[in-house]
Amino acid sequence: MSIRFIDAGLQTSVQDLGRTGMMRYGVSQGGAADPLAARLGNLLLGNPPHNPVLEVTLIGPRLEFQCDISLVVTGARFTLTLDGESVENDQVIQARRGSVLNFGQLRSGTRAYIAFAGQMALTRIFDSFSTHLQSGFGGCGGQPLKKGDLIRFEETRTVADRQLREEHRLRYTGHPRLRVVAGAEETLFSGETLERFYTQAFRVTPQSNRMGIRLTGEPLHCAARTQIISSGLCPGTIQVPPDGDPIIAFVEGQTIGGYPRIAHVISADQHLLGQLKANDRISFEKVSLARAHEILAGKSALLNQLTAEYSCHSASD
């Protein structure tokens, strides 16, 4: 029971929801760059939220199935075909032994996720199957998948056809406005600089990766050249280095940093970072910590509702 990579795509890797509790040892969380998209794929299949998936970046793979299995593609939208027939995101796809799934043109977003109704035969490292690409461990040998690679499954199954309702499908179009809370060193920036941060549109640079998202725009500078002690960094933290171009710490980012932290992308919006690519434009909106908690609670409640709904369906398949 396996799948074979006829083509591997640009950067296809095994991911799950990452490694928690390891930052004190210098190991960043890692995992899916858009964990919401990954969770929705597993949810449709009745899988646990942490079940590993394939993360596809910009250019997708071509997969040959050597078993019967159900799967779901979520996240970025590509032109998808199974055995030459068009298939879509956010719905259960039934692959048979010998079937070929092909990713064509990227239509929106950056990263897609392939969830399978089955368990990949992988080694868990630090309680996760995720590939940590910056450090070279986890997943399949710590590297992106290559042409000719095989992924084996310990077990596979098929589930009934179903799809996400239209209102629950993720869309990645236009110019995202990410909500943030104040950073720990916000007071080191002048009122004029903070206004510039919240009113301009920044461009994502080609130097961005799973470690950090680099932005460029009208430079931001501290009001005083204050030396700060290196402190903890989490995904979503926005630092401003001396050149004035912000950097958003991402899923494989360093665990400490010494640049002033102007803001932090709220947890509920961080999945949108995984769908940014070079030259995309983004801007920021400040919210209170209480409002950030409300938004996250609402999103968590919706996920719990959908999980209960599809778990009920799976039990009756």
Tab-separated table of all heavy atoms in Angstrom, residues 3-46:
chain	number	residue	atom	x	y	z
A	3	ILE	N	2.022	5.210	-2.334
A	3	ILE	CA	1.906	6.141	-3.457
A	3	ILE	C	3.309	6.396	-3.983
A	3	ILE	O	4.283	6.408	-3.221
A	3	ILE	CB	1.217	7.462	-3.057
A	3	ILE	CG1	1.928	8.116	-1.861
A	3	ILE	CG2	-0.247	7.243	-2.747
A	3	ILE	CD1	1.367	9.472	-1.500
A	4	ARG	N	3.409	6.611	-5.296
A	4	ARG	CA	4.704	6.855	-5.933
A	4	ARG	C	4.687	8.237	-6.570
A	4	ARG	O	3.691	8.639	-7.180
A	4	ARG	CB	4.980	5.786	-7.003
A	4	ARG	CG	6.339	5.954	-7.706
A	4	ARG	CD	6.609	4.794	-8.645
A	4	ARG	NE	5.738	4.832	-9.819
A	4	ARG	CZ	6.046	5.468	-10.960
A	4	ARG	NH1	7.201	6.128	-11.061
A	4	ARG	NH2	5.216	5.437	-11.973
A	5	PHE	N	5.807	8.937	-6.433
A	5	PHE	CA	5.913	10.283	-6.980
A	5	PHE	C	6.478	10.204	-8.400
A	5	PHE	O	7.683	10.043	-8.588
A	5	PHE	CB	6.794	11.151	-6.080
A	5	PHE	CG	6.104	11.557	-4.810
A	5	PHE	CD1	6.022	10.677	-3.737
A	5	PHE	CD2	5.502	12.792	-4.696
A	5	PHE	CE1	5.373	11.039	-2.575
A	5	PHE	CE2	4.843	13.167	-3.536
A	5	PHE	CZ	4.775	12.287	-2.474
A	6	ILE	N	5.588	10.320	-9.384
A	6	ILE	CA	6.036	10.401	-10.770
A	6	ILE	C	6.810	11.706	-10.961
A	6	ILE	O	7.858	11.743	-11.597
A	6	ILE	CB	4.830	10.336	-11.729
A	6	ILE	CG1	4.060	9.028	-11.520
A	6	ILE	CG2	5.286	10.465	-13.185
A	6	ILE	CD1	2.745	8.969	-12.278
A	7	ASP	N	6.278	12.779	-10.399
A	7	ASP	CA	6.977	14.059	-10.252
A	7	ASP	C	6.714	14.536	-8.831
A	7	ASP	O	5.636	14.288	-8.278
A	7	ASP	CB	6.473	15.106	-11.250
A	7	ASP	CG	6.852	14.761	-12.686
A	7	ASP	OD1	8.065	14.606	-12.943
A	7	ASP	OD2	5.949	14.671	-13.529
A	8	ALA	N	7.696	15.235	-8.266
A	8	ALA	CA	7.571	15.605	-6.858
A	8	ALA	C	7.087	17.026	-6.638
A	8	ALA	O	6.700	17.376	-5.525
A	8	ALA	CB	8.907	15.410	-6.149
A	9	GLY	N	7.105	17.872	-7.675
A	9	GLY	CA	6.757	19.269	-7.469
A	9	GLY	C	7.944	20.054	-6.931
A	9	GLY	O	9.053	19.537	-6.782
A	10	LEU	N	7.707	21.327	-6.625
A	10	LEU	CA	8.796	22.205	-6.203
A	10	LEU	C	9.269	21.884	-4.794
A	10	LEU	O	10.468	21.733	-4.544
A	10	LEU	CB	8.333	23.670	-6.273
A	10	LEU	CG	9.352	24.707	-5.822
A	10	LEU	CD1	10.564	24.711	-6.746
A	10	LEU	CD2	8.711	26.097	-5.775
A	11	GLN	N	8.346	21.807	-3.843
A	11	GLN	CA	8.713	21.518	-2.448
A	11	GLN	C	7.528	20.830	-1.782
A	11	GLN	O	6.711	21.454	-1.123
A	11	GLN	CB	9.080	22.796	-1.690
A	11	GLN	CG	9.654	22.533	-0.302
A	11	GLN	CD	9.967	23.822	0.441
A	11	GLN	OE1	9.081	24.434	1.020
A	11	GLN	NE2	11.221	24.241	0.409
A	12	THR	N	7.456	19.532	-1.978
A	12	THR	CA	6.387	18.725	-1.391
A	12	THR	C	6.967	17.981	-0.198
A	12	THR	O	7.998	17.314	-0.319
A	12	THR	CB	5.823	17.733	-2.421
A	12	THR	OG1	5.340	18.454	-3.558
A	12	THR	CG2	4.686	16.916	-1.823
A	13	SER	N	6.322	18.104	0.954
A	13	SER	CA	6.868	17.494	2.166
A	13	SER	C	5.747	16.976	3.045
A	13	SER	O	4.594	17.388	2.923
A	13	SER	CB	7.712	18.509	2.951
A	13	SER	OG	6.924	19.602	3.377
A	14	VAL	N	6.108	16.075	3.940
A	14	VAL	CA	5.165	15.558	4.936
A	14	VAL	C	5.083	16.567	6.078
A	14	VAL	O	6.100	17.023	6.596
A	14	VAL	CB	5.630	14.198	5.482
A	14	VAL	CG1	4.718	13.733	6.617
A	14	VAL	CG2	5.682	13.157	4.369
A	15	GLN	N	3.863	16.933	6.470
A	15	GLN	CA	3.659	17.852	7.587
A	15	GLN	C	2.465	17.394	8.422
A	15	GLN	O	1.584	16.695	7.930
A	15	GLN	CB	3.411	19.287	7.090
A	15	GLN	CG	4.529	19.878	6.252
A	15	GLN	CD	5.823	20.081	7.021
A	15	GLN	OE1	5.847	20.107	8.259
A	15	GLN	NE2	6.932	20.214	6.285
A	16	ASP	N	2.476	17.803	9.687
A	16	ASP	CA	1.278	17.676	10.525
A	16	ASP	C	1.126	18.995	11.278
A	16	ASP	O	1.506	20.044	10.734
A	16	ASP	CB	1.350	16.440	11.437
A	16	ASP	CG	2.589	16.406	12.323
A	16	ASP	OD1	3.189	17.473	12.564
A	16	ASP	OD2	2.950	15.317	12.804
A	17	LEU	N	0.613	19.003	12.477
A	17	LEU	CA	0.423	20.271	13.189
A	17	LEU	C	1.649	20.699	13.997
A	17	LEU	O	1.599	21.669	14.739
A	17	LEU	CB	-0.815	20.183	14.096
A	17	LEU	CG	-2.139	19.943	13.357
A	17	LEU	CD1	-3.307	19.999	14.336
A	17	LEU	CD2	-2.338	20.943	12.221
A	18	GLY	N	2.759	19.985	13.811
A	18	GLY	CA	4.024	20.446	14.353
A	18	GLY	C	4.363	19.919	15.738
A	18	GLY	O	3.675	19.063	16.300
A	19	ARG	N	5.447	20.468	16.282
A	19	ARG	CA	6.008	20.019	17.555
A	19	ARG	C	5.775	21.094	18.614
A	19	ARG	O	6.294	22.200	18.485
A	19	ARG	CB	7.507	19.746	17.400
A	19	ARG	CG	7.789	18.636	16.410
A	19	ARG	CD	9.260	18.465	16.081
A	19	ARG	NE	9.427	17.265	15.283
A	19	ARG	CZ	9.322	17.228	13.957
A	19	ARG	NH1	9.062	18.332	13.276
A	19	ARG	NH2	9.458	16.083	13.308
A	20	THR	N	5.032	20.745	19.638
A	20	THR	CA	4.790	21.695	20.717
A	20	THR	C	5.671	21.348	21.911
A	20	THR	O	6.053	20.188	22.114
A	20	THR	CB	3.315	21.689	21.136
A	20	THR	OG1	2.943	20.355	21.534
A	20	THR	CG2	2.424	22.113	19.978
A	21	GLY	N	6.004	22.380	22.692
A	21	GLY	CA	6.780	22.170	23.909
A	21	GLY	C	8.260	21.970	23.699
A	21	GLY	O	8.975	21.595	24.634
A	22	MET	N	8.764	22.248	22.465
A	22	MET	CA	10.175	22.002	22.180
A	22	MET	C	10.989	23.281	22.023
A	22	MET	O	12.206	23.220	21.843
A	22	MET	CB	10.304	21.166	20.894
A	22	MET	CG	9.639	19.805	20.945
A	22	MET	SD	10.309	18.738	22.231
A	22	MET	CE	11.997	18.561	21.698
A	23	MET	N	10.345	24.450	22.072
A	23	MET	CA	11.077	25.695	21.833
A	23	MET	C	12.164	25.938	22.876
A	23	MET	O	13.196	26.535	22.574
A	23	MET	CB	10.111	26.872	21.788
A	23	MET	CG	9.267	26.905	20.534
A	23	MET	SD	8.222	28.376	20.430
A	23	MET	CE	9.453	29.673	20.359
A	24	ARG	N	11.961	25.452	24.095
A	24	ARG	CA	12.979	25.649	25.147
A	24	ARG	C	14.264	24.901	24.817
A	24	ARG	O	15.325	25.196	25.384
A	24	ARG	CB	12.436	25.185	26.492
A	24	ARG	CG	11.948	23.747	26.506
A	24	ARG	CD	11.302	23.379	27.833
A	24	ARG	NE	10.546	22.151	27.730
A	24	ARG	CZ	10.077	21.494	28.778
A	24	ARG	NH1	10.281	21.961	29.989
A	24	ARG	NH2	9.377	20.389	28.612
A	25	TYR	N	14.181	23.918	23.902
A	25	TYR	CA	15.367	23.197	23.449
A	25	TYR	C	15.891	23.736	22.122
A	25	TYR	O	16.780	23.140	21.516
A	25	TYR	CB	15.055	21.706	23.305
A	25	TYR	CG	14.523	21.076	24.572
A	25	TYR	CD1	13.238	20.562	24.624
A	25	TYR	CD2	15.304	21.012	25.732
A	25	TYR	CE1	12.731	19.993	25.780
A	25	TYR	CE2	14.808	20.450	26.898
A	25	TYR	CZ	13.526	19.943	26.915
A	25	TYR	OH	13.035	19.380	28.073
A	26	GLY	N	15.312	24.842	21.655
A	26	GLY	CA	15.747	25.434	20.392
A	26	GLY	C	15.110	24.821	19.159
A	26	GLY	O	15.565	25.073	18.043
A	27	VAL	N	14.041	24.029	19.332
A	27	VAL	CA	13.365	23.386	18.202
A	27	VAL	C	12.046	24.118	17.942
A	27	VAL	O	11.147	24.112	18.794
A	27	VAL	CB	13.085	21.889	18.480
A	27	VAL	CG1	12.363	21.250	17.289
A	27	VAL	CG2	14.384	21.158	18.770
A	28	SER	N	11.938	24.759	16.810
A	28	SER	CA	10.719	25.500	16.492
A	28	SER	C	9.569	24.554	16.177
A	28	SER	O	9.766	23.364	15.899
A	28	SER	CB	10.956	26.455	15.320
A	28	SER	OG	11.493	25.778	14.203
A	29	GLN	N	8.369	25.092	16.194
A	29	GLN	CA	7.170	24.260	16.071
A	29	GLN	C	7.092	23.529	14.741
A	29	GLN	O	6.729	22.357	14.676
A	29	GLN	CB	5.929	25.139	16.249
A	29	GLN	CG	4.621	24.392	16.095
A	29	GLN	CD	3.422	25.280	16.375
A	29	GLN	OE1	3.452	26.086	17.295
A	29	GLN	NE2	2.386	25.148	15.575
A	30	GLY	N	7.403	24.208	13.653
A	30	GLY	CA	7.298	23.585	12.337
A	30	GLY	C	5.867	23.194	12.019
A	30	GLY	O	4.907	23.790	12.498
A	31	GLY	N	5.712	22.166	11.201
A	31	GLY	CA	4.380	21.707	10.825
A	31	GLY	C	3.824	22.451	9.629
A	31	GLY	O	4.515	23.227	8.960
A	32	ALA	N	2.555	22.213	9.347
A	32	ALA	CA	1.900	22.801	8.185
A	32	ALA	C	1.948	24.320	8.247
A	32	ALA	O	1.643	24.921	9.281
A	32	ALA	CB	0.455	22.328	8.102
A	33	ALA	N	2.310	24.953	7.137
A	33	ALA	CA	2.338	26.414	7.076
A	33	ALA	C	0.931	27.001	7.139
A	33	ALA	O	0.744	28.124	7.596
A	33	ALA	CB	3.052	26.866	5.802
A	34	ASP	N	-0.056	26.262	6.657
A	34	ASP	CA	-1.468	26.644	6.791
A	34	ASP	C	-2.171	25.510	7.540
A	34	ASP	O	-2.789	24.630	6.936
A	34	ASP	CB	-2.101	26.862	5.417
A	34	ASP	CG	-3.555	27.345	5.498
A	34	ASP	OD1	-4.163	27.229	6.581
A	34	ASP	OD2	-4.084	27.821	4.480
A	35	PRO	N	-2.066	25.504	8.872
A	35	PRO	CA	-2.631	24.380	9.630
A	35	PRO	C	-4.142	24.284	9.535
A	35	PRO	O	-4.697	23.192	9.685
A	35	PRO	CB	-2.178	24.658	11.066
A	35	PRO	CG	-1.896	26.117	11.107
A	35	PRO	CD	-1.391	26.478	9.741
A	36	LEU	N	-4.833	25.387	9.273
A	36	LEU	CA	-6.285	25.320	9.136
A	36	LEU	C	-6.670	24.504	7.913
A	36	LEU	O	-7.560	23.641	7.978
A	36	LEU	CB	-6.888	26.720	9.062
A	36	LEU	CG	-8.410	26.791	8.927
A	36	LEU	CD1	-9.106	26.064	10.071
A	36	LEU	CD2	-8.871	28.243	8.855
A	37	ALA	N	-5.999	24.740	6.792
A	37	ALA	CA	-6.273	23.960	5.582
A	37	ALA	C	-5.978	22.481	5.813
A	37	ALA	O	-6.753	21.609	5.402
A	37	ALA	CB	-5.446	24.488	4.410
A	38	ALA	N	-4.862	22.186	6.484
A	38	ALA	CA	-4.515	20.789	6.758
A	38	ALA	C	-5.573	20.129	7.639
A	38	ALA	O	-5.980	18.978	7.411
A	38	ALA	CB	-3.141	20.714	7.421
A	39	ARG	N	-6.055	20.851	8.644
A	39	ARG	CA	-7.064	20.294	9.545
A	39	ARG	C	-8.376	20.022	8.811
A	39	ARG	O	-9.052	19.015	9.079
A	39	ARG	CB	-7.308	21.248	10.712
A	39	ARG	CG	-6.187	21.264	11.732
A	39	ARG	CD	-6.580	22.013	12.992
A	39	ARG	NE	-7.663	21.330	13.698
A	39	ARG	CZ	-8.104	21.690	14.901
A	39	ARG	NH1	-7.555	22.732	15.505
A	39	ARG	NH2	-9.080	21.033	15.486
A	40	LEU	N	-8.751	20.900	7.898
A	40	LEU	CA	-10.012	20.704	7.181
A	40	LEU	C	-9.961	19.450	6.310
A	40	LEU	O	-10.961	18.734	6.181
A	40	LEU	CB	-10.336	21.932	6.332
A	40	LEU	CG	-10.778	23.179	7.108
A	40	LEU	CD1	-10.930	24.362	6.164
A	40	LEU	CD2	-12.079	22.930	7.863
A	41	GLY	N	-8.806	19.169	5.713
A	41	GLY	CA	-8.684	17.946	4.924
A	41	GLY	C	-8.847	16.708	5.785
A	41	GLY	O	-9.586	15.778	5.430
A	42	ASN	N	-8.179	16.680	6.924
A	42	ASN	CA	-8.317	15.536	7.836
A	42	ASN	C	-9.739	15.426	8.376
A	42	ASN	O	-10.278	14.320	8.548
A	42	ASN	CB	-7.314	15.662	8.987
A	42	ASN	CG	-5.939	15.153	8.605
A	42	ASN	OD1	-5.813	14.197	7.848
A	42	ASN	ND2	-4.904	15.788	9.133
A	43	LEU	N	-10.346	16.569	8.637
A	43	LEU	CA	-11.707	16.586	9.170
A	43	LEU	C	-12.688	15.907	8.210
A	43	LEU	O	-13.519	15.090	8.621
A	43	LEU	CB	-12.095	18.044	9.417
A	43	LEU	CG	-13.414	18.412	10.078
A	43	LEU	CD1	-13.262	19.775	10.755
A	43	LEU	CD2	-14.544	18.491	9.063
A	44	LEU	N	-12.583	16.233	6.905
A	44	LEU	CA	-13.490	15.640	5.921
A	44	LEU	C	-13.351	14.123	5.851
A	44	LEU	O	-14.307	13.418	5.515
A	44	LEU	CB	-13.228	16.232	4.537
A	44	LEU	CG	-14.009	17.478	4.143
A	44	LEU	CD1	-13.554	17.975	2.780
A	44	LEU	CD2	-15.512	17.212	4.118
A	45	LEU	N	-12.159	13.625	6.159
A	45	LEU	CA	-11.904	12.190	6.081
A	45	LEU	C	-12.133	11.470	7.399
A	45	LEU	O	-11.980	10.259	7.489
A	45	LEU	CB	-10.461	11.942	5.603
A	45	LEU	CG	-10.161	12.391	4.172
A	45	LEU	CD1	-8.662	12.344	3.904
A	45	LEU	CD2	-10.908	11.538	3.155
A	46	GLY	N	-12.484	12.218	8.448
A	46	GLY	CA	-12.668	11.603	9.756
A	46	GLY	C	-11.372	11.239	10.439
A	46	GLY	O	-11.353	10.396	11.340
